[in-house]
Amino acid sequence: MDLTRLPARHSGSRPARPRRASFTRTVAGATARATSGAASAATAKAGMKTATRVALAASLMTTLAVSLTACSSSSPSLYTLAPVAGPLQPVPLGFTTPNLLPSVIEVRKPTIAGALDRDRIVLSDSGYKLRVSATDSWSGPLIDQIPHVLAQDLAQRLPGISLFVQDDATATTPQAYVELVITRFARDDANNAVLEAQVAVHREDSDAPKISRTILLKTPAPGDTGAMVSALSTLLGQASDQIAAQIRALPPAQSQ
């Protein structure tokens, strides 16, 4: 058989296949672009969240700094009552004997209306409304300040009589007592400082009669808190004038 006469096979006789490589590259490129776009969007979103957190943190720090500054700048001013000199009411020589006038008197700590018994200063008490200072405070409780100022006022007005305050360290036995109930100690709606109190003076004997009276005193107190505290100190001095007279009016001690 003559093989040379058989028809020759051509390697290129098979139909050409589609260009898959080009399509694959196109799809891969699109996928890569989509992936890159999604990654960029995610990065941008994460960046926005981070920026928001930073902004919120900065805002909180600013608020905290302002709050701390406000707290430090609103530290209260402290006020103290002070004794006020008044007319002398000297006790005649020889009258400070147990059966005449007491030589040693204890000023007891007062009972103070609950509305007044606070650290912050009550600026006014009128018209069913209590106005309390937001920045001004007493340097110490009124239950301690008032009797100590009163004792100093009375000692100045009654030379020859010793006075001390309840719970003060002393070995002296009192022969008489001064007791107070404070019901008003602030401004009224007319800008007057007002002191209203019930006062009782009596000898140390529990059966001894008491000299009691109501004290109502007012004085103009325009201006700031310091002016009001000064006016209240003046009123305590005026109250001491009346209490000194009560002490001088004590009946003789009962015979044993």
Side-chain angles (χ1 to χ4, degrees):
M1 186 176 185
D2 187 359
L3 296 177
T4 60
R5 295 185 176 182
L6 292 175
R9 293 184 180 180
H10 298 283
S11 59
S13 60
R14 186 175 294 178
R17 293 182 179 179
R19 296 180 179 178
R20 290 188 177 179
S22 176
F23 175 77
T24 301
R25 285 194 298 270
T26 302
V27 172
T31 303
R33 286 193 297 272
T35 303
S36 176
S40 298
T43 302
K45 188 175 181 180
M48 290 178 65
K49 287 184 177 179
T50 301
T52 301
R53 291 194 187 102
V54 171
L56 286 174
S59 177
L60 288 173
M61 291 298 292
T62 301
T63 302
L64 180 60
V66 171
S67 299
L68 291 174
T69 302
C71 289
S72 62
S73 63
S74 61
S75 298
S77 299
L78 302 180
Y79 290 85
T80 303
L81 296 168
V84 175
L88 297 181
Q89 299 184 34
V91 179
L93 187 64
F95 271 65
T96 55
T97 56
N99 62 328
L100 294 176
L101 287 181
S103 58
V104 180
I105 298 174
E106 178 183 297
V107 179
R108 290 189 165 170
K109 291 187 175 181
T111 299
I112 300 176
L116 302 172
D117 190 16
R118 60 182 72 223
D119 293 336
R120 297 286 186 178
I121 295 178
V122 176
L123 298 176
S124 63
D125 178 13
S126 61
Y128 306 102
K129 184 177 181 180
L130 195 72
R131 189 164 66 91
V132 181
S133 174
T135 58
D136 301 328
S137 297
W138 293 112
S139 61
L142 286 178
I143 196 173
D144 292 326
Q145 287 200 56
I146 290 176
H148 280 93
V149 169
L150 194 64
Q152 293 178 67
D153 285 342
L154 289 171
Q156 183 267 323
R157 288 158 174 76
L158 295 170
I161 294 181
S162 298
L163 292 108
F164 66 93
V165 175
Q166 179 184 1
D167 295 337
D168 280 359
T170 179
T172 306
T173 301
Q175 299 168 357
Y177 298 95
V178 175
E179 300 175 351
L180 295 95
V181 178
I182 307 291
T183 54
R184 295 183 69 185
F185 199 68
R187 281 193 183 105
D188 60 13
D189 53 6
N191 250 3
N192 293 312
V194 180
L195 167 61
E196 185 173 4
Q198 300 290 328
V199 182
V201 177
H202 62 92
R203 291 185 178 273
E204 52 86 22
D205 187 350
S206 60
D207 295 328
K210 292 184 178 181
I211 300 178
S212 302
R213 67 185 304 167
T214 298
I215 293 178
L216 177 59
L217 300 167
K218 297 183 180 183
T219 189
D224 59 6
T225 304
M228 187 190 75
V229 173
S230 176
L232 291 172
S233 298
T234 298
L235 294 182
L236 280 175
Q238 294 176 9
S240 298
D241 296 336
Q242 299 185 28
I243 296 171
Q246 287 179 256
I247 292 173
R248 289 171 58 86
L250 279 171
Q254 296 179 355
S255 302
Q256 301 295 329

